[in-house]
């Protein structure tokens, strides 16, 4: 057992901090470019949704060192989040668009994401994992991956998928280490994305 770090479910009160942590990593993924307010709403919606969940890894002082988010049914999750938080998300995305109009292209592409992911009939998906830079290489990524698999198991999920930029060596390595099976690649925002599946 790891006594330096603990895991617990993410709460709505954590979401603003978690959104800030995610926002700082702009080099990967599209959604962070829509800003902290947008991300914070999305994550609060994830904590509220029956089809979403998040797990935080905390240090001894209860500071969030890293986190994962996932869904047990991607399409139902998106519909639910849009219903719960869509108006506020659209508002914050619009404010961001006023500052950065070229984001519109990314938004249009992103709307097609659930369709790009619907080929393989696996509904559950691991959405994201981030470890704060100062906490990296201390096995928190491994702790979060194990906790995520356990949470999927508790929720009765038999298999889930995960997407990672193929150039993201560290994350791809964690997937291979845990026995995820590589399925295919696709292109999102000009980036090659690996799709993996995990059978529980
Ligand atoms: C990916 C990420 C979550 C990993 O977190 P972490 O806590 O540092 O990961 P761990 O310490 O548990 O494990 C990292 C593994 O990568 C290896 N590694 C570390 N640096 C590496 C590097 N530069 N190149 C290749 N492998 C590396 C470690 O040896 C370890 O391998 P092992 O488990 O076989 O020993 C973290 O780097 C991160 O937040 N990255 C930015 C966001 C991201 O890319 N998220 C994943 C996409 S969803």
């Amino acid at each position: 057992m790891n006594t330096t770090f603990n895991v617990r479910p993410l709460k709505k009160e954590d979401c603003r901090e978690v959104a800030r942590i995610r926002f700082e990593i702009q080099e990967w993924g599209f959604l962070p470019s829509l800003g902290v307010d947008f991300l914070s709403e999305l994550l609060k919606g994830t904590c509220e949704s029956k089809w979403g969940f998040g797990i935080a890894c905390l240090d001894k002082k209860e500071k969030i060192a890293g986190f994962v988010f996932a869904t047990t049914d991607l399409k139902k999750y998106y519909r639910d989040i849009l219903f719960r938080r869509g108006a506020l998300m659209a508002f914050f995305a619009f404010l961001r668009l006023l500052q950065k109009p070229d984001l519109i292209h990314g938004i249009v592409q992103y709307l097609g994401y659930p369709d790009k992911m619907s080929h393989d009939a696996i509904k559950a998906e691991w959405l994201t994992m981030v470890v704060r830079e100062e906490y990296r290489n201390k096995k928190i990524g491994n702790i979060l991956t194990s906790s995520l698999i356990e949470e999927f198991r508790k929720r009765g999920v038999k298999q889930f998928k995960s997407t990672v930029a193929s150039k993201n060596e560290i994350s791809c390595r964690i997937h291979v280490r845990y026995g995820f099976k590589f399925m295919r690649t696709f292109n999102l925002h000009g980036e090659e994305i690996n799709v993996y599946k995990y059978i529980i």
Side-chain angles (χ1 to χ4, degrees):
M1 201 176 90
N2 191 313
T3 51
T4 315
F5 299 104
N6 285 312
V7 290
R8 65 151 170 79
L10 269 161
K11 303 174 201 158
K12 270 203 285 185
E13 307 85 85
D14 302 320
C15 287
R16 191 146 188 96
E17 186 188 351
V18 166
R20 274 187 208 286
I21 298 171
R22 181 62 189 90
F23 180 72
E24 279 163 18
I25 311 175
Q26 286 282 339
E27 76 267 17
W28 147 80
F30 169 71
L31 291 180
S33 59
L34 295 177
V36 172
D37 292 323
F38 173 90
L39 275 178
S40 183
E41 289 306 313
L42 174 69
L43 300 179
K44 281 180 198 162
T46 308
C47 293
E48 290 164 351
S49 176
K50 182 179 159 190
W51 291 284
F53 65 90
I55 301 168
C57 186
L58 310 163
D59 70 7
K60 279 184 175 162
K61 293 181 175 165
E62 298 283 296
K63 184 177 171 190
I64 295 178
F67 59 86
V68 282
F69 279 98
T71 171
T72 52
D73 188 320
L74 186 70
K75 282 201 168 171
K76 285 184 181 157
Y77 161 80
Y78 272 124
R79 266 188 238 127
D80 196 31
I81 301 262
L82 286 177
F83 173 72
R84 289 168 186 276
R85 301 262 162 188
L88 273 172
M89 283 163 60
F91 173 70
F92 290 127
F94 174 72
L95 292 184
R96 191 80 178 149
L97 268 178
L98 293 179
Q99 294 171 325
K100 293 189 162 202
D102 51 330
L103 287 175
I104 190 71
H105 180 66
I107 291 177
V108 171
Q109 268 211 25
Y110 199 84
L111 291 175
Y113 180 74
D115 285 333
K116 284 193 178 190
M117 291 305 289
S118 63
H119 302 306
D120 30 55
I122 302 173
K123 293 177 180 170
E125 185 172 337
W126 179 1
L127 297 170
T128 193
M129 169 162 75
V130 174
V131 172
R132 271 191 218 258
E133 251 178 83
E134 64 269 33
Y135 289 90
R136 289 194 190 158
N137 246 323
K138 297 180 192 299
K139 299 282 170 204
I140 295 174
N142 280 267
I143 295 169
L144 284 166
T145 305
S146 304
S147 308
L148 172 102
I149 293 169
E150 191 46 37
E151 185 60 30
F152 269 130
R153 192 193 314 275
K154 279 189 202 154
R155 289 173 183 246
V157 168
K158 300 280 181 261
Q159 55 181 352
F160 65 92
K161 60 192 164 186
S162 174
T163 57
V164 191
S166 50
K167 65 177 187 204
N168 189 338
E169 277 179 41
I170 302 178
S171 186
C172 289
R173 185 186 169 115
I174 291 176
H175 281 72
V176 172
R177 187 184 167 93
Y178 273 83
F180 284 71
K181 304 263 179 298
F182 172 79
M183 292 168 74
R184 63 189 168 89
T185 61
F186 71 94
N187 190 287
L188 188 68
H189 311 293
E191 206 172 12
E192 192 180 84
I193 308 288
N194 287 355
V195 183
Y196 293 93
K197 128 171 128 173
Y198 187 90
I199 299 172
I200 296 176

